[in-house]
Amino acid sequence: MDNRKLHALITTLRAGSFNKAAQELNCTQSAVTQMMNALENELGCKILARSHSGVRLTPAGETLYPLLSEADAALERLADRARALSQEDAQVIRIGSFSSISNTWLPKILRAYQDAFPGTSFDIRIGTDTLPQWLQENQIDLALGDASRCRSFQWYPLMDDPYYAVMPAGLLPEDKTAITQEEFAQYTLIMAPMNALEAHLAVLSNQRINVSSDDDSSILSIVAQGLGVTAMPKLSLRNSMEDLRILDLLPVPKRVLGVALPKNPSRSAASFATFLRRHYSYQA
């Protein structure tokens, strides 16, 4: 039984005939008749007495009508509540993200999520060391970053992101495709403090150029000019520039990327995090 039949019944009784009810319901008289026949079949008894002068309730209809009216009102309340919840779910999801994530796989995830949940909007904030603070202060609903910054929250690992050596073209022979961390440490290291290479490299060069920025392209530009070398994760190298060599770094350092949620996440943030976990299985 659905509220369409119940609403048609109430309209028919108020209007006094199938024809007038059809006009109010913006359908044909036969459609109203079919709905009333279907309702009576579901109930197993006649509830309407039909005559040339109109329609009225049968004795069985008189008994059942208060319950049918209550059911119609309850179904209306159910529909209203469902619409309200749908609007809550469609609120803006505020995401804090590493630039390397937002520049690579995040756009595809956003599109897929919007296809599954139409009407969802996103507010993307790019950051690195600021992600934990934003999450703590409720400036974002969830964070996409690495384990070292986000593990103190509800943390769900999604993928490994290995680091590679990035060097100026021509610095090493063309047939050399890998470099050990000890060899790598012999060169001036171009690094941003927020990239936390200390946590990923076993050996670090004593000669460094620090860049106070989380813009990977700035660091790559400095390396391309021959001023030093750097190490970057795979996602940051998707759009690497010319005049650079990318080599395997041995042993392979890596960062673990994932999604972090506050203690009491919003329903929409939890839904998005679940969607992420379904699309990205953690690779140890």
Side-chain angles (χ1 to χ4, degrees):
M1 185 180 301
D2 58 62
N3 64 334
R4 191 168 59 96
K5 298 188 189 78
L6 295 174
H7 184 60
L9 170 64
I10 293 171
T11 303
T12 297
L13 290 171
R14 185 182 66 251
S17 71
F18 289 161
N19 184 48
K20 291 180 180 178
Q23 294 176 10
E24 287 192 32
L25 296 170
N26 195 28
C27 64
T28 64
Q29 179 177 333
S30 63
V32 176
T33 302
Q34 290 174 10
M35 283 190 285
M36 293 303 94
N37 291 339
L39 180 59
E40 289 178 330
N41 287 335
E42 289 184 41
L43 294 173
C45 60
K46 290 289 184 181
I47 59 174
L48 290 176
R50 300 153 170 85
S51 67
H52 292 297
S53 60
V55 295
R56 58 181 176 79
L57 289 169
T58 65
E62 294 282 359
T63 301
L64 295 177
Y65 183 76
L67 298 175
L68 293 170
S69 180
E70 289 177 13
D72 179 63
L75 288 171
E76 282 292 336
R77 290 195 298 272
L78 175 63
D80 289 341
R81 182 57 180 153
R83 281 191 292 269
L85 290 174
S86 176
Q87 291 174 356
E88 289 178 15
D89 288 340
Q91 67 182 346
V92 175
I93 301 177
R94 302 170 301 164
I95 301 174
S97 173
F98 282 3
S99 61
S100 56
I101 294 175
S102 64
N103 290 335
T104 51
W105 53 263
L106 181 58
K108 291 190 295 183
I109 286 291
L110 298 182
R111 172 58 61 86
Y113 192 83
Q114 285 184 326
D115 289 342
F117 301 93
T120 304
S121 299
F122 298 97
D123 181 3
I124 312 297
R125 299 183 66 177
I126 307 302
T128 306
D129 287 342
T130 52
L131 291 183
Q133 179 182 349
W134 289 347
L135 202 55
Q136 186 70 41
E137 296 177 353
N138 194 34
Q139 297 184 47
I140 56 177
D141 299 311
L142 59 91
L144 300 175
D146 60 14
S148 64
R149 292 175 176 85
C150 300
R151 186 165 278 161
S152 60
F153 300 92
Q154 291 189 57
W155 167 251
Y156 302 99
L158 299 175
M159 62 192 301
D160 287 344
D161 193 18
Y163 277 78
Y164 290 83
V166 185
M167 314 188 78
L171 184 62
L172 295 175
E174 288 295 325
D175 60 350
K176 189 174 180 61
T177 60
I179 186 171
T180 67
Q181 292 194 34
E182 289 77 10
E183 292 174 307
F184 187 71
Q186 303 304 310
Y187 300 93
T188 299
L189 181 62
I190 314 298
M191 61 179 290
M194 61 190 64
N195 286 350
L197 289 182
E198 296 93 339
H200 300 291
L201 299 180
V203 185
L204 286 172
S205 171
N206 292 324
Q207 302 177 30
R208 305 182 192 178
I209 297 178
N210 289 328
V211 181
S212 297
S213 171
D214 57 0
D215 181 5
D216 294 333
S217 61
S218 298
I219 298 174
L220 293 176
S221 295
I222 295 174
V223 174
Q225 292 300 315
L227 295 174
V229 301
T230 194
M232 280 197 180
K234 184 177 181 179
L235 285 186
S236 298
L237 297 171
R238 291 289 181 90
N239 299 309
S240 56
M241 60 188 64
E242 297 180 359
D243 301 323
L244 292 175
R245 286 280 311 282
I246 310 299
L247 289 81
D248 292 333
L249 193 54
L250 304 176
V252 180
K254 66 181 181 181
R255 63 179 181 176
V256 179
L257 299 179
V259 56
L261 293 167
K263 182 178 180 180
N264 297 305
S266 67
R267 182 168 44 252
S268 55
S271 173
F272 185 75
T274 299
F275 191 82
L276 273 172
R277 294 168 66 190
R278 287 175 180 168
H279 282 74
Y280 284 90
S281 59
Y282 177 64
Q283 301 172 0

